[in-house]
Structures are given as C-alpha cells and as structure tokens.
Amino acid sequence: MWEWINQPFTPQTALIMLLGGIAVLGVVLGVVTYTIYFERKIIGWMQGRIGPNRVGPLGLFQSFADILKLLIKEDIIPGKADRLMFLIAPMITYVPAFMVLAVIPYTATHLFTAELNVGIIYYIALSALSIIGVMLGGWASNNKYSIIGGLRSAAQMIAYEIPLAMSMLGVILMAGSMNIVEIVEAQEKFPYVWYVVPQFLGFCIFIIAATAELNRTPFDLPEAESELVSGYFTEYSGFRFAFYMLAEYVYIVAMAGLAAALFFGGWSGPLLPGWLWYAIKAGAFIFLMFWLRATFPRVRNDQLMTFSWKVLIPLSLLNIILTAAIKLAV
C-alpha cells in the first residue's frame, strides 16, 4: 500500500484520491467503449455477419458515434412519472458498478485499489445495490410494463446473487481470507497453480450466476420479453438509458476482474508483467461472455428461476461441503 494512506487526511491526500478516481474512471470508460465494439465484432464473426465497419477505420469509432447519439437525443420524462426517482434511478444502478472496481487488484502494487480484509463482502454488498436502481427505475416510470419488468429483473438478480456469493465461499475456505489480494497471493503458493482446478464446480456456478446477474444472454429476459416492450427501462431515453447499459458493461469488466483474481491467480504468471497477465485472464472471461451470447437461445422466465433455486443453490452448498471436508482432511 502507498505510504500516504497511513498518514493524516490532508488536502493533498484528497487531491491524490480524486485524481486516482478520475484516472480509473477514464480507463474504465475507455475499456467499456471498446468492449462494446469487440462484442459486436466477435458476435458478428461468430454468426457470419460483418459488424461495425462504417464509422472510422474498421468501425473503430462506432461506439463513440453511439455515445454521441445518446448524448444529443432528447431526454424525455413521462408526465406522470415520479420525477426525482426517475432521474436518480440510473445513477443508483451505475455508481455501485464503478465503486466495486476499488477492490479488484490488477497488479501486485495495488495501484489505485484498496486492500480490504472484507473485499469480497464489499463487492457483493455494493453490487446488490444495483437491484434498487432497477426496481426504482421501473416503479418511478409509472408504467405497468416497466413495473413488471423491474420486479422480474429484481427477482432474477436476487435469485442469482445467492449462488454467485456461495460460489466464492469455496475459494474463501481454501485461502482462509476474504481479502482478494491475499486470495491471489495464496494461489501463488498453491500446488495446482490456480484455484480453478480444485474449485471447478464453484467456477462453473460462478460463470452461470454471473451471466444471469449481468442480465446477459441466455438470461437477458429483462430487456427481451416482447410483452414488456423493453423491461424496466422502457420509458428511458438518451443518456439516462445509456447509464443502464453502461452499468451492465462496467459490471462485465468488474466481474471478469473478480473471476481472474479468485480462480485464475490474478496478476500471477511467468515472464509477462502482472497487469498484462491480469488483462489476458479478464479478457478471456469477457470473451467467454460474448461467446455465450452468440451461442445460446434465451430460456423462459420460469426456467430461469427454477434453475437458480433448484439447481445452482444446491450445487453451491455441495461445493462448500466438499471444500470444507477436503480442508479438514488435509
């Protein structure tokens, strides 16, 4: 950790923290911008389509054109909506998505990140706050379709938040810590190199639950059901709509970073710099998310909920019991 963290809080400390936050925000927005571009190109390649190719060389500026379009579109607020709640709901969804990045260590020096002893709890607690923004957006719109979409989305996110958290307990038991940095360091000393080997069941549960938690295909029902038009953000336009989409893609980056740290050793690896190993591992997880979207059809809402409560949660409990038994035996 940096030495100034243990010093008294001063204006200089506040300035460094502010500049660090701005730097991280700028990097994340740049990564998200081109994550969207690569998703469209990769899925286009997988499905035999061209993808973005008009704006800029190879379509590299297409995401910027989309952002500009959303910025200049009219910001419409329904006449009978709860105006204040309608305006702040997208921010309630986005802000936690950005704040969880504070505990994702992408280098051994922990530059611009916090080494919290309860890092995993911090991540789970903040990511759960986005559910409030989703429900609030649907309710504040004063639209029956948006309200139903908000309730369905909240039910989905709560149902898959549970197995997502439980899938991490196996890793916590093996490392003996909830500090993400210490989990990465424990994997460096582990005989199987990474925890994905002994925690393969937990990793599979993590992937499925994370995909549903992020409302990604084949679990993207909140924004795909025809009778709900467009789910909880039906009434949103312009950049407020973009905030919901931005939160989804920031969570993809954060979830990829968390998966790399918990199951694939984070920054550890031979020859290459630590930050590059982290980028490779997180990028592989992001590519897997795109691959799933290009491959699988959507499931029905009843199948979605049944799969979580009757399959993933029992498997998560089984993984915890097996891990605890192995730890006691060893």
Side-chain angles (χ1 to χ4, degrees):
M1 299 293 289
W2 288 355
E3 295 180 358
W4 56 265
I5 292 179
N6 297 320
Q7 296 177 357
F9 189 80
T10 63
Q12 291 80 5
T13 303
L15 179 60
I16 292 174
M17 293 173 65
L18 178 61
L19 293 177
I22 293 173
V24 173
L25 178 61
V27 171
V28 170
L29 291 178
V31 170
V32 167
T33 298
Y34 280 100
T35 297
I36 297 171
Y37 168 78
F38 283 113
E39 177 179 27
R40 297 172 68 182
K41 293 295 284 188
I42 289 170
I43 294 178
W45 168 66
M46 288 182 173
Q47 297 179 344
R49 297 182 287 105
I50 297 175
N53 68 337
R54 299 296 183 188
V55 184
L58 304 176
L60 287 171
F61 299 152
Q62 181 62 55
S63 294
F64 293 101
D66 294 338
I67 293 170
L68 178 62
K69 176 190 70 175
L70 291 170
L71 280 171
I72 63 178
K73 287 188 72 172
E74 183 179 3
D75 183 18
I76 299 173
I77 302 176
K80 295 186 178 182
D82 186 319
R83 183 180 179 86
L84 178 61
M85 295 296 102
F86 186 85
L87 295 179
I88 68 174
M91 291 182 282
I92 294 175
T93 303
Y94 169 72
V95 171
F98 177 65
M99 291 179 65
V100 298
L101 296 171
V103 293
I104 305 296
Y106 59 92
T107 64
T109 57
H110 322 314
L111 185 65
F112 295 134
T113 60
E115 186 180 346
L116 298 182
N117 290 332
V118 289
I120 292 181
I121 292 179
Y122 172 90
Y123 184 99
I124 295 170
L126 276 180
S127 63
L129 290 178
S130 295
I131 301 173
I132 299 175
V134 167
M135 286 193 64
L136 198 59
W139 175 81
S141 299
N142 196 23
N143 178 318
K144 60 183 178 182
Y145 300 110
S146 296
I147 293 173
I148 295 173
L151 291 173
R152 287 186 177 181
S153 301
Q156 172 179 336
M157 295 171 76
I158 291 171
Y160 282 87
E161 187 86 28
I162 297 170
L164 180 68
M166 293 174 68
S167 68
M168 304 179 199
L169 287 178
V171 172
I172 294 172
L173 287 172
M174 296 197 68
S177 173
M178 289 185 290
N179 185 322
I180 301 177
V181 173
E182 292 180 1
I183 291 174
V184 173
E185 292 173 347
Q187 291 179 76
E188 294 178 340
K189 306 171 185 177
F190 193 66
Y192 296 102
V193 184
W194 297 330
Y195 282 165
V196 69
V197 177
Q199 286 293 308
F200 185 73
L201 177 58
F203 176 64
C204 292
I205 296 170
F206 182 92
I207 291 177
I208 297 170
T211 304
E213 177 74 11
L214 297 171
N215 296 329
R216 302 281 298 176
T217 306
F219 307 113
D220 59 336
L221 299 184
E223 55 193 74
E225 294 193 277
S226 58
E227 77 273 19
L228 298 182
V229 188
S230 189
Y232 56 89
F233 49 74
T234 298
E235 299 290 351
Y236 282 91
S237 62
F239 210 66
R240 299 190 194 283
F241 167 81
F243 263 114
Y244 278 117
M245 294 294 99
L246 184 62
E248 177 183 325
Y249 280 92
V250 172
Y251 267 129
I252 290 175
V253 174
M255 199 70 76
L258 187 64
L262 296 184
F263 296 99
F264 292 98
W267 63 79
S268 62
L271 303 177
L272 301 177
W275 64 268
L276 186 55
W277 270 115
Y278 168 85
I280 292 171
K281 295 170 184 177
F285 187 83
I286 293 173
F287 175 80
L288 177 61
M289 302 287 282
F290 296 164
W291 191 358
L292 294 175
R293 182 176 181 181
T295 305
F296 288 97
R298 293 187 183 99
V299 298
R300 296 197 314 266
N301 192 67
D302 61 309
Q303 295 173 330
L304 172 76
M305 302 302 292
T306 300
F307 187 68
S308 173
W309 294 106
K310 294 185 178 180
V311 179
L312 287 188
I313 292 179
L315 286 177
S316 301
L317 290 170
L318 176 62
N319 182 62
I320 295 170
I321 293 170
L322 291 175
T323 304
I326 293 172
K327 287 289 290 184
L328 287 174
V330 173

